[in-house]
């Protein structure tokens, strides 16, 4: 009887483990095969891949890959690649076609993308993607993307779903933002040189859950110029919990 109880507990433990998402980091690299002396065009990707819970993991992995296709492309629309190796090959192919068309020009293309699981709880999974791409011009573009999921279903959570009352949270966040960046309450949100569209405060496209609180992250050009860099506002959970529908 004692052995039967132990065996049952082990089976129960294994069943529990099988319902827990596991992430493994996968890395991909690709360089041009065309002759080059320095700054040879290349692309590097490190990304967390979910497994152990097939349906949930598949949903998460598909969303992450679709966002990667939004980040890694050259031209008018994303590549049609169906996996990471194909995506990286498409990026390098775009460079090589351009180099063949304009052999006397130098194109120091580069892409470096790294994802990681930034936060995970029973209610929310947050994957952060840090990216930098350069395909010519005065400078490249870098930024952060926040991907939010329900860890129980694998479905994406939109920013709209995060709050009980988005308008109330937005008003609260604006007060905190103005205080941090010293913007007078009786003046335009752009009074000190920011670039909010229509001169009205907006929540950022990327919101992160962190161990310290909710992070509002504005990439370059979203609220300020490239020269001014990204803007961010960290709000402790003790101050925002009442606004959160997902926590």
């Amino acid at each position: 009887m004692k052995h039967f109880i132990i065996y049952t507990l082990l089976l129960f433990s294994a069943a529990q483990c099988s319902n827990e998402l596991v992430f493994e980091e996968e890395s991909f690299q690709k360089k041009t095969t065309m002759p080059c002396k320095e700054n040879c065009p290349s692309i590097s990707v490190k990304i967390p891949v979910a497994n152990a819970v097939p349906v949930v993991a598949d949903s998460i992995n598909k969303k992450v890959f679709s966002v990667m296709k939004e980040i890694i492309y050259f031209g008018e629309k994303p590549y049609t690649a169906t996996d990471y190796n194909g995506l990286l090959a498409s990026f390098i192919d775009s460079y090589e076609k351009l180099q063949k068309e304009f052999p006397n020009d130098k194109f120091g293309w580069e892409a470096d993308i790294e994802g990681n699981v930034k936060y995970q709880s029973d209610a929310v999974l947050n994957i952060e993607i840090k990216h930098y791409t350069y395909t010519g011009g005065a400078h490249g573009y870098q930024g952060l993307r926040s991907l939010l999921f329900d860890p129980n279903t694998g479905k994406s959570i939109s920013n709209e779903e995060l709050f009980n009352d988005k308008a109330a949270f937005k008003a609260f966040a604006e007060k905190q933002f103005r205080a941090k960046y010293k913007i007078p309450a009786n003046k335009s949100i752009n009074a000190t040189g920011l670039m909010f569209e229509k001169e009205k405060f907006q929540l950022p496209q990327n919101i992160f859950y962190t161990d310290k609180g909710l992070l509002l992250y504005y990439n370059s050009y979203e609220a300020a110029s490239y020269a001014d860099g990204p803007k961010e506002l960290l709000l402790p959970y003790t101050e925002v919990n009442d606004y959160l529908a997902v926590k």
Side-chain angles (χ1 to χ4, degrees):
M1 183 67 179
K2 180 178 180 181
H3 292 296
F4 176 77
I5 293 173
I6 293 174
Y7 180 70
T8 303
L9 289 173
L10 287 173
L11 285 177
F12 179 71
S13 177
Q16 279 190 315
C17 291
S18 67
N19 291 323
E20 295 179 2
L21 282 173
V22 177
F23 287 88
E24 295 180 359
E25 182 183 271
E26 293 191 8
S27 299
F28 306 87
Q29 294 86 30
K30 183 76 174 176
K31 293 183 179 180
T32 181
T33 57
M34 297 183 71
C36 57
K37 295 181 179 179
E38 58 182 12
N39 298 323
C40 295
S42 65
I43 177 170
S44 175
V45 169
K46 292 181 181 179
I47 206 74
V49 176
N51 55 44
V53 187
V55 175
V56 176
D58 186 57
S59 178
I60 293 170
N61 293 335
K62 283 182 177 179
K63 177 61 178 180
V64 172
F65 183 69
S66 71
V67 170
M68 294 295 284
K69 289 176 69 174
E70 294 173 8
I71 294 172
I72 304 171
Y73 77 94
F74 178 79
E76 297 181 356
K77 57 184 180 180
Y79 298 124
T80 58
T82 57
D83 59 34
Y84 285 102
N85 286 319
L87 184 58
L88 272 62
S90 296
F91 181 80
I92 295 299
D93 286 346
S94 292
Y95 158 76
E96 293 181 348
K97 288 177 182 178
L98 196 63
Q99 183 66 70
K100 290 174 182 177
E101 188 175 352
F102 303 98
N104 295 324
D105 294 338
K106 293 182 178 180
F107 305 96
W109 281 28
E110 178 186 359
D112 189 7
I113 299 95
E114 183 171 354
N116 66 83
V117 177
K118 189 174 184 69
Y119 183 89
Q120 188 171 4
S121 70
D122 293 338
V124 62
L125 166 70
N126 195 178
I127 293 178
E128 175 190 85
I129 298 179
K130 182 179 181 180
H131 59 91
Y132 172 81
T133 53
Y134 176 76
T135 55
H139 54 73
Y141 180 75
Q142 60 186 350
L144 298 179
R145 290 287 295 268
S146 174
L147 307 183
L148 297 167
F149 301 94
D150 181 335
N152 301 299
T153 64
K155 293 183 178 180
S156 295
I157 301 174
S158 69
N159 287 354
E160 299 293 328
E161 298 173 278
L162 296 181
F163 308 105
N164 296 314
D165 186 337
K166 185 179 177 182
F169 175 77
K170 182 180 173 183
F172 168 76
E174 179 173 358
K175 289 181 181 179
Q176 303 303 311
F177 187 92
R178 284 177 176 271
K180 177 176 180 178
Y181 291 102
K182 298 180 174 58
I183 305 169
N186 61 345
K187 294 199 175 176
S188 163
I189 191 69
N190 293 340
T192 60
L194 295 179
M195 298 171 57
F196 280 98
E197 189 174 351
K198 297 180 181 179
E199 299 206 2
K200 291 185 178 181
F201 176 82
Q202 299 294 336
L203 296 178
Q205 297 175 15
N206 295 281
I207 298 175
F208 293 91
Y209 281 72
T210 77
D211 291 337
K212 296 181 179 179
L214 199 70
L215 177 65
L216 308 186
Y217 191 89
Y218 297 84
N219 282 301
S220 297
Y221 301 118
E222 197 174 350
S225 67
Y226 181 86
D228 287 335
K231 303 297 178 186
E232 60 183 68
L233 179 66
L234 181 64
L235 301 170
Y237 291 119
T238 52
E239 297 180 6
V240 301
N241 269 340
D242 290 344
Y243 297 106
L244 291 177
V246 179
K247 53 187 175 182

